[in-house]
Amino acid sequence: MTATFIRHELKAFWRSKNTGKSIAIRVVMGILILYLFLNILFIGIFLDRFLEHAFPKDDMVFSFCGIILLYFLSDILMRLQLQELPTLRVQPYLQLPVKRNSLAGYLAFTSLLSVFNLWPVVLFVPFVLKVIATDSGALVAFAFIISIIGLTVFNNYLALYIKRKANLNGWIFLIAAAIIALIALSDFWWHIISIRKISFLFFGHLISHPAIALLPVLLGVLMYYLNFLFLKQNLYLEELSAHKASAYKSSTEFPLLNRFGSVGDLAANEIKLILRNKRSRSSLIMGLFFIFYGLIFYNKSGVTGSEGFKVFVGMYMTGAFIISYGQYMFSWQASHFDGLLVSKISFADFLKAKYLLFTIVSTFFFLLTIPYVYFGWRTLLVHFAMYLWNLGINTTIVLFFANRNYKRIDLSKGAAMNWEGVGATQLLLTFPLIIAPYMVYGPFAFLKHNDIGIALLAIIAVVFIFTRSFWIKQLETDFYTKRYKIAGGFRNK
């Protein structure tokens, strides 16, 4: 059946009206992947020299064993962001005498064809053949290769399992990202654990006990089986969800949003859109990465420059999502924007849902920046002022420019190397977002009255927050003068 499914997929590809465009995209992506492949192959061939230069005081084999788990930890993060889920239009087969095991097995098997599964082999196997095989023999080298392949398969199916579960419950993805972040922080920031030592604990013993190479293989088989069961049990998911649609509201997956009524429903749908699509989800992940922004610029005395720089750092750490996601507003809804225009949804509620979404995410990011109090209470005070600024000013600026954004985004496309939706509006938006706080804070900082500048930022932000209904009304009026131009732009593919 696998050969039959592949043949059907090839026919569907060649018969598609967008075949020419798809081929061109695949050729470009193939060239880029080949370039990355050659770079990784180069690193793999000379990995011994890189390790010797990076860890001159450590034994080379110890250094190699120590970085393997570090690689696979970063690999799972990249897979969650970039690896595509294998797809198959199962509806036509459900009416035919095709076993569900065959459908689920095909989807599980084709995921192994991902280019991500090639990188660890290309990166690590040359070192294993050059160093491990020479020092410890062919059996140990074979055990290392089997372990690396086993971990690769485990990561492949773990990432797919998380993403499939996240499609049903968006919190799964956030929990997975939080666990990875906690592991990284526990090593590189809090120094509670050492991933390098844990990695050596396994791979170091692999040299004397090659049989334990079966452990990663068993983990990979287990994750494959979990994916297979999940796919098999959810082949009828769309039918089941259709029958249950009348039994509950979409926002019940986010119970806290129920109290906001239709605005909460719209915000819940937006959260699902973010978590279920790569391009929008990358904005959320980028925001999480900006939480570590302060580690780059702050030191034990405060910040590597004037205090005014904290305004910039605080704005990005608490408002990175507003900036990265908001600059493409309303392009995220481009595919169904015409439906929104003719629906019973009040555009005022639509805007309130955007404000609610930004408030939730920005509040979450601000809570994550609280540990920066280590650099002084004043640092946290600036972060709080910029958090208020993001909620009051930057959200309004972003939604103002959204009424001037006419470029669509196709959410079915990936996030990597995707420039769809990028235009002059995004470039213009960066200037007021960055300059506006310094127009308030700058004169007082120049006169050495930093406290007044920070206080004024917070006061203006609070005024905008309390007068939000007024700004929503202005944005709504502005939208109705431009809605047909926005809709026309979104129809251009």
Side-chain angles (χ1 to χ4, degrees):
M1 284 304 299
T2 299
T4 302
F5 291 143
I6 293 174
R7 187 165 61 250
H8 289 177
E9 289 290 294
L10 288 174
K11 288 180 179 178
F13 172 77
W14 288 110
R15 293 172 180 175
S16 172
K17 64 180 180 179
N18 295 320
T19 298
K21 182 180 178 181
S22 299
I23 292 175
I25 293 173
R26 289 171 186 268
V27 169
V28 173
M29 292 303 298
I31 294 172
L32 292 174
I33 290 172
L34 179 61
Y35 173 74
L36 290 173
F37 174 83
L38 293 174
N39 279 273
I40 293 175
L41 180 61
F42 175 81
I43 296 172
I45 293 173
F46 297 101
L47 184 59
D48 52 339
R49 298 187 183 182
F50 289 121
L51 290 175
E52 187 177 4
H53 178 74
F55 308 103
K57 297 181 180 180
D58 294 342
D59 177 74
M60 189 180 299
V61 175
F62 173 82
S63 301
F64 174 72
C65 293
I67 68 168
I68 295 178
L69 284 188
L70 283 173
Y71 168 83
F72 281 105
L73 184 64
S74 60
D75 176 67
I76 190 67
L77 190 62
M78 288 189 295
R79 287 176 185 269
L80 288 174
Q81 174 60 18
L82 300 175
Q83 185 175 0
E84 294 185 2
L85 287 170
T87 58
L88 178 69
R89 296 177 181 177
V90 299
Q91 289 87 349
Y93 300 103
L94 295 178
Q95 305 175 37
L96 300 174
V98 178
K99 294 182 179 179
R100 286 192 294 170
N101 285 355
S102 299
L103 292 168
Y106 172 78
L107 288 172
F109 170 75
T110 52
S111 67
L112 290 174
L113 303 178
S114 171
V115 71
F116 282 97
N117 296 325
L118 186 62
W119 299 147
V121 176
V122 175
L123 181 62
F124 294 129
V125 169
F127 181 92
V128 171
L129 298 177
K130 284 177 64 177
V131 179
I132 303 295
T134 303
D135 294 347
S136 305
L139 180 61
V140 174
F142 180 71
F144 266 85
I145 294 174
I146 291 298
S147 296
I148 290 168
I149 293 174
L151 287 174
T152 302
V153 173
F154 174 77
N155 264 21
N156 177 73
Y157 287 114
L158 176 61
L160 295 179
Y161 187 74
I162 292 172
K163 294 177 78 168
R164 286 179 174 128
K165 295 288 284 185
N167 284 339
L168 301 180
N169 187 345
W171 290 106
I172 297 293
F173 185 85
L174 292 178
I175 292 171
I179 290 173
I180 296 173
L182 285 174
I183 293 173
L185 287 171
S186 297
D187 186 349
F188 301 108
W189 182 248
W190 298 320
H191 305 296
I192 299 173
I193 62 173
S194 173
I195 299 174
R196 287 189 65 205
K197 290 182 179 179
I198 295 173
S199 182
F200 179 77
L201 188 65
F202 175 79
F203 287 98
H205 282 81
L206 197 62
I207 297 174
S208 55
H209 301 87
I212 64 175
L214 294 175
L215 180 59
V217 176
L218 292 175
L219 290 174
V221 171
L222 176 63
M223 282 310 307
Y224 167 84
Y225 186 66
L226 287 176
N227 271 269
F228 177 83
L229 286 181
F230 180 84
L231 289 168
K232 184 178 177 180
Q233 294 169 0
N234 290 278
L235 283 177
Y236 298 103
L237 181 62
E238 291 184 2
E239 288 185 27
L240 294 174
S241 62
H243 291 306
K244 294 179 182 179
S246 61
Y248 61 95
K249 293 183 178 181
S250 62
S251 64
T252 52
E253 293 183 23
F254 307 97
L256 292 176
L257 297 178
N258 285 344
R259 61 188 298 268
F260 296 99
S262 60
V263 174
D265 281 340
L266 290 169
N269 288 333
E270 189 104 15
I271 292 173
K272 292 176 186 178
L273 179 150
I274 293 168
L275 297 178
R276 293 177 178 178
N277 297 279
K278 294 180 181 179
R279 182 78 181 273
S280 53
R281 190 166 62 236
S282 66
S283 299
L284 181 64
I285 295 174
M286 185 184 299
L288 290 172
F289 278 124
F290 270 108
I291 296 299
F292 302 100
Y293 213 44
L295 298 179
I296 301 174
F297 297 102
Y298 291 178
N299 55 38
K300 291 184 178 179
S301 62
V303 71
T304 59
S306 65
E307 186 181 79
F309 200 67
K310 291 182 182 179
V311 172
F312 176 80
V313 176
M315 180 180 71
Y316 261 88
M317 285 200 295
T318 60
F321 175 79
I322 295 174
I323 296 170
S324 61
Y325 182 80
Q327 64 181 321
Y328 299 111
M329 205 73 70
F330 307 111
S331 295
W332 303 115
Q333 287 86 17
S335 60
H336 55 271
F337 194 78
D338 286 331
L340 290 174
L341 290 180
V342 298
S343 68
K344 295 181 180 180
I345 298 173
S346 165
F347 190 73
D349 286 345
F350 188 69
L351 290 173
K352 290 176 183 178
K354 304 294 184 184
Y355 274 106
L356 178 59
L357 172 70
F358 289 148
T359 300
I360 292 171
V361 178
S362 191
T363 301
F364 175 68
F365 283 177
F366 170 71
L367 294 176
L368 291 180
T369 66
I370 288 178
Y372 283 104
V373 73
Y374 171 79
F375 297 107
W377 285 100
R378 190 171 183 83
T379 300
L380 185 61
L381 180 66
V382 174
H383 288 181
F384 182 69
M386 297 316 299
Y387 158 72
L388 295 176
W389 182 269
N390 281 315
L391 297 186
I393 311 297
N394 282 352
T395 50
T396 305
I397 293 175
V398 161
L399 292 173
F400 172 79
F401 275 89
N403 287 340
R404 287 147 183 82
N405 180 22
Y406 314 127
K407 290 185 174 290
R408 69 175 280 117
I409 290 178
D410 186 355
L411 288 174
S412 64
K413 298 180 180 178
M417 305 300 294
N418 186 351
W419 299 98
E420 192 174 38
V422 178
T425 303
Q426 285 71 41
L427 178 63
L428 293 173
L429 176 61
T430 57
F431 291 107
L433 292 178
I434 295 174
I435 295 173
Y438 286 101
M439 292 178 64
V440 176
Y441 173 80
F444 295 98
F446 180 77
L447 297 173
K448 307 299 182 183
H449 295 299
N450 295 36
D451 292 344
I452 298 177
I454 296 297
L456 196 57
L457 284 171
I459 292 170
I460 294 175
V462 170
V463 169
F464 266 72
I465 291 173
F466 279 102
T467 58
R468 182 171 285 180
S469 57
F470 169 79
W471 299 110
I472 289 175
K473 185 64 177 178
Q474 300 304 311
L475 291 169
E476 184 183 19
T477 303
D478 183 44
F479 169 79
Y480 282 126
T481 63
K482 297 178 174 62
R483 54 181 170 172
Y484 298 116
K485 190 173 182 180
I486 297 173
F490 288 169
R491 295 187 195 108
N492 295 325
K493 299 183 179 180

